Each structure stands twice: as C-alpha cells, then as structure tokens.
C-alpha cells in the first residue's frame, strides 16, 4: 500500500493493469529489448568482417576519431536534454518541456549532420557500401543507427509542435516518456558503436594487406 | 544542522532541499516491500549505501540529471584518452574499453531511462533481451571463428 501511495504521489496515477505499469510502456521496453538483437547482429557482423577486406580503405586509414568523439558528446547531451524535458513535463511546466524537446531535436540534428559529413568524406576517399566488406558492414550498421536517430528527431519534432500545444495531460506525458525511452536507447546503441567500431576497431582495423596475411586468415 | 557542512550535505542530498537528487527522508517513503531494489537486503553494507544514494524515485532533480550527464561526458573523455595510449594497455585494451562502454550503458539505462526507479519487471524484460542479444552475438562470433587463435604461417 505504501508503495502504491508513493507512486500515486510521484506519478499521478498507477496504471490499472496486472503489473501496475501501463501496457504501452511495457510494450516499449519489449520493443527496445528486441532492438538489442537487431543492433547486436549488425555489430557482430561488422566484427566478423572488419578485417577481411581485400582492398582498402581500411578502418584505421579512414575513421575520424576526433570528429566522432564530438558527435558522441552531442548525442550524450541530447539524452540529458531528453530526461530534462520529461522531468519538466512531469512537473507540468509546458514552456520548459517544449524548450528541452527542441534542444533534443537540435542536438539530434547536429549528430545527423556529423554523420552525413562523415559518410560524404568516406565516399570521397573511396569507401562506399560496395567498396569492401568493411564499407558494407560499416554503412549498414551506422546507417541503420542514423535512421533510428532520424525517426527520433521527427517523432520529437512532431511532439514539440503538435502534441504540446495545450495543457500537459498524463497521456501526453506518457507519450513523451515513450519517445524518451526510444531516444535514450538510440544513445546507448551509439555508446556501444563508438567504443566497438571506432575506438577498438581503429586500433585493430588493418584489413588484408598482403597475400601472406590473406593466407593466414583463411588458414592456408 | 547548524554547521555549514551539515547544511551543505542536507542541501545536496535531502528531499526538502530542492537540490541534487532526492533521498526518501522518512521510512514511509522507502519502497515497500523493502526488497524493491535489485538485490534487496542481500549483499554487503556498501550496497545499501549505494542503494540509498541512487534511489530517488521519479523525483530526481535536474541537477542530479546534469551530474549524470557530466559523468557520461567524463567517461567518454577517459575512453578517448585511453584510445590514444592503447599500447600501454596491451591486450587489456579491448576489455577496459568494453567495461567503460558498459558502465556508460548502465548509467544511461538506470538513470536516464529510469530503470533504477521503475518496477523490476521492466529491468527483467530489458535485461532478458540484452542477454539474448549478447548470447546471439557470442555464438555468431564463435561460429565465425573470431575466438579461435590466429593461424600461424609455417616458416
């Protein structure tokens, strides 16, 4: 009872379900859990093929760590802005809610800008999705992540302008919480990608440069 | 509460301060049942200390979230610095980087996504998905021979 009363006080209401959690929220968490599999498979595929390109460019020739570090910082700060937006929505402060949602949209767009710039630079340097195995797995993985970010930006943009016109309701706060969960998930996926693909991948991304190297990989 | 240290402490950590993140200040405000936390009453005393300092319900303040954001930025800086001295860590480099990434992952999931404050069933759902993903990940790398020792070319 004390727990229920505390939740009543903190969240406004307790969902009338068996779990006490709204079904939409539970569904969102199930979706995010399944999305772990989606990105996990892409990351594993990247790791399997990262050093098996016959021709360059190879990861350590082309990945721009300083640029990606900045974009990682931008995405982390967008997560902070997102949680602040939700905080103010729960406090029914519409102006601050909208301000922080727009901050997330701006930071997310900046991140996308970095990604477009990076892709363009790679293409100019000869790395496309068809160049080699590194290019294929890299563009598919980071491209799908970018697509997730784009979806999040559009979702939040719609919320900022269409959803939060009038007073905040418990329904609209929950909508924002769903969008927030999605956005934070996009952030944690990037945390893994940045470490595994960029930082670790750069240190270990030489590709197959010689016949002897190729022979050693195929066990010849 | 007269001395400035006590006042500062209270301002930072207590519910009525309007600052930092909010600790339940009376027994009734703690979760009921008391084992609502991930490890309940089990574990060493230090865990209870961590429990008290991280449980804020959904009433954590913007300052608390900002502190979390600063920690995430600092951890990213540490990662990038370690990257520049990867030779120093040798074969431990990958392990250290993965642990740092996991730490950032857990911080975002626990505090920004509110799993720390929410019902345990959500933690179970997400952890189950994450563990299945890790399982598939490891199986895939194993099948592709990523964990096998590198073949040596005969002289």
């Amino acid at each position: 009872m004390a727990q229920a009363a505390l939740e009543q006080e903190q969240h406004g209401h307790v969902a009338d379900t068996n779990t006490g959690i709204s079904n939409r929220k539970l569904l969102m968490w199930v979706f995010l859990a399944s999305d772990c599999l989606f990105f996990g498979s892409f990351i594993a595929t990247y790791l399997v093929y990262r050093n098996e390109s016959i021709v360059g460019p190879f990861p350590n020739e082309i990945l721009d760590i300083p640029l990606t570090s900045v974009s990682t910082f931008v995405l982390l700060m967008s997560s902070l802005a997102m949680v602040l937006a939700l905080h103010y929505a729960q406090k029914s402060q519409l102006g601050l809610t909208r301000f922080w949602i727009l901050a997330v949209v701006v930071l997310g767009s900046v991140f996308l800008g970095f990604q477009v710039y990076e892709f363009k630079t790679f293409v100019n340097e000869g790395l496309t999705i068809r160049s080699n195995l590194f290019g294929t797995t890299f563009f598919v993985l980071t491209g799908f992540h970018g697509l997730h970010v784009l979806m999040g930006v559009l979702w939040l943009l719609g919320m900022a302008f269409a959803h939060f016109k009038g007073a905040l309701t418990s329904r609209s706060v929950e909508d924002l919480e769903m969008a927030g969960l999605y956005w934070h998930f996009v952030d944690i996926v990037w945390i893994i990608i940045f470490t595994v693909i960029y930082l670790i991948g750069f240190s270990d991304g030489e590709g197959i440069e010689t016949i002897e190297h190729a022979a050693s990989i195929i066990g010849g | 509460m007269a001395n400035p240290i006590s006042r500062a402490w209270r301002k930072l950590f207590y519910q009525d301060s309007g600052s930092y993140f909010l600790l339940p200040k009376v027994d009734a405000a703690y979760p009921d049942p008391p084992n609502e936390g991930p490890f309940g009453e089990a574990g060493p005393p230090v865990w209870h200390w961590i429990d008290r300092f991280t449980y804020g319900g959904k009433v954590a303040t913007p300052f608390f979230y900002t502190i979390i954001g600063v920690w995430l930025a600092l951890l990213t800086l540490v990662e990038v610095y370690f990257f520049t001295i990867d030779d120093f860590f040798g074969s431990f480099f990958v392990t250290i980087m993965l642990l740092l990434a996991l730490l950032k992952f857990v911080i975002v999931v626990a505090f920004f996504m509110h799993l720390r404050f929410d019902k345990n069933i959500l933690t179970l759902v997400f952890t189950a998905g994450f563990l299945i993903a890790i399982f598939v990940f490891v199986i895939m790398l194993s099948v592709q021979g990523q964990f096998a020792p590198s073949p040596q070319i005969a002289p």
Side-chain angles (χ1 to χ4, degrees):
Chain A
M1 282 303 287
Q3 173 70 10
L6 184 66
E7 287 193 7
Q8 185 88 22
E9 187 183 321
Q10 290 175 354
H11 312 292
H13 75 287
V14 178
D16 188 19
T17 60
N18 286 344
T19 56
I21 307 162
S22 84
N23 290 334
R24 293 199 310 147
K25 187 170 174 177
L26 188 59
L27 182 65
M28 176 53 87
W29 275 105
V30 172
F31 163 69
L32 297 181
S34 71
D35 228 16
C36 283
L37 282 162
F38 182 77
F39 279 106
S41 304
F42 279 136
I43 293 171
T45 308
Y46 174 87
L47 290 178
V48 167
Y49 291 116
R50 74 190 187 285
N51 285 345
E52 303 205 7
S53 299
I54 304 294
V55 295
F58 303 114
N60 59 355
E61 294 172 351
I62 202 164
L63 293 177
D64 188 346
I65 302 300
L67 180 89
T68 320
S69 302
V70 174
S71 69
T72 302
F73 176 77
V74 168
L75 200 61
L76 283 173
M77 292 306 104
S78 76
S79 247
L80 174 61
M82 186 69 240
V83 79
L84 290 175
L86 181 62
H87 174 83
Y88 287 114
Q90 285 168 340
K91 298 276 179 193
S92 301
Q93 297 185 31
L94 185 59
L96 281 169
T97 303
R98 198 179 284 137
F99 170 80
W100 285 112
I101 292 175
L102 288 174
V104 179
V105 169
V106 169
L107 290 168
S109 304
V110 170
F111 176 84
L112 284 173
F114 273 118
Q115 199 162 34
V116 168
Y117 173 79
E118 183 189 41
F119 281 12
K120 208 174 164 188
T121 308
F122 284 3
V123 169
N124 288 340
E125 293 183 20
L127 183 74
T128 66
I129 198 165
R130 299 170 66 182
S131 303
N132 55 23
L133 283 169
F134 162 61
T136 306
T137 51
F138 174 84
F139 279 114
V140 169
L141 170 60
T142 55
F144 265 110
H145 179 268
L147 206 59
H148 273 69
V149 175
L150 181 65
M151 292 291 289
V153 166
L154 295 176
W155 186 355
L156 289 165
L157 204 59
M159 280 199 141
F161 287 110
H163 211 78
F164 290 113
K165 272 184 175 171
L168 284 163
T169 62
S170 60
R171 173 82 180 184
S172 58
V173 172
E174 193 181 61
D175 287 345
L176 185 62
E177 192 176 0
M178 299 303 105
L181 288 175
Y182 175 83
W183 190 262
H184 295 309
F185 178 78
V186 166
D187 184 30
I188 57 176
V189 169
W190 187 256
I191 286 173
I192 303 294
I193 290 178
F194 176 62
T195 302
V196 175
I197 308 311
Y198 287 86
L199 299 182
I200 296 175
F202 187 95
S203 301
D204 187 29
E206 293 175 349
I208 300 175
E209 289 177 311
T210 63
I211 298 297
E212 288 78 14
H213 187 183
S216 75
I217 286 176
I218 60 175
Chain B
M1 285 281 88
N3 73 68
I5 295 175
S6 295
R7 274 205 306 275
W9 182 263
R10 189 161 191 87
K11 186 169 171 52
L12 279 174
F13 294 111
Y14 278 73
Q15 268 187 330
D16 53 2
S17 64
S19 179
Y20 205 55
F21 61 103
L22 305 176
L23 281 177
K25 60 180 176 180
V26 292
D27 285 347
Y30 276 95
D32 183 22
N35 61 354
E36 183 70 18
F39 300 105
E41 293 297 318
V46 67
W47 177 256
H48 302 309
W49 186 85
I50 293 170
D51 203 49
R52 288 174 67 88
F53 277 77
T54 57
Y55 187 87
K58 275 195 173 174
V59 287
T61 62
F63 186 62
F64 168 67
Y65 292 129
T66 308
I67 292 290
I68 297 289
V70 170
W71 271 108
L72 289 170
L74 286 176
L75 284 169
T76 305
L77 266 181
V78 169
E79 269 188 317
V80 175
Y81 176 68
F82 282 4
F83 165 76
T84 62
I85 54 166
D86 59 338
D87 288 342
F88 175 77
F89 295 107
S91 57
F92 291 104
F93 175 69
V94 172
T95 310
I96 290 170
M97 298 305 277
L98 288 179
L99 285 176
L100 281 171
L102 189 65
L103 181 61
K104 285 163 66 184
F105 183 99
V106 169
I107 288 174
V108 173
V109 171
F111 297 113
F112 282 180
M113 295 173 88
H114 293 135
L115 266 194
R116 180 72 186 95
F117 316 128
D118 245 322
K119 287 187 180 293
N120 285 350
I121 188 173
L122 298 178
T123 307
L124 285 173
V125 165
F126 187 68
T127 307
F130 184 68
L131 289 180
I132 293 170
I134 295 288
F135 180 72
V136 171
F137 184 84
V138 171
I139 293 292
M140 194 166 164
L141 292 186
S142 304
V143 168
Q144 296 292 330
Q146 294 292 308
F147 298 130
S150 301
Q152 301 294 316
I153 299 175

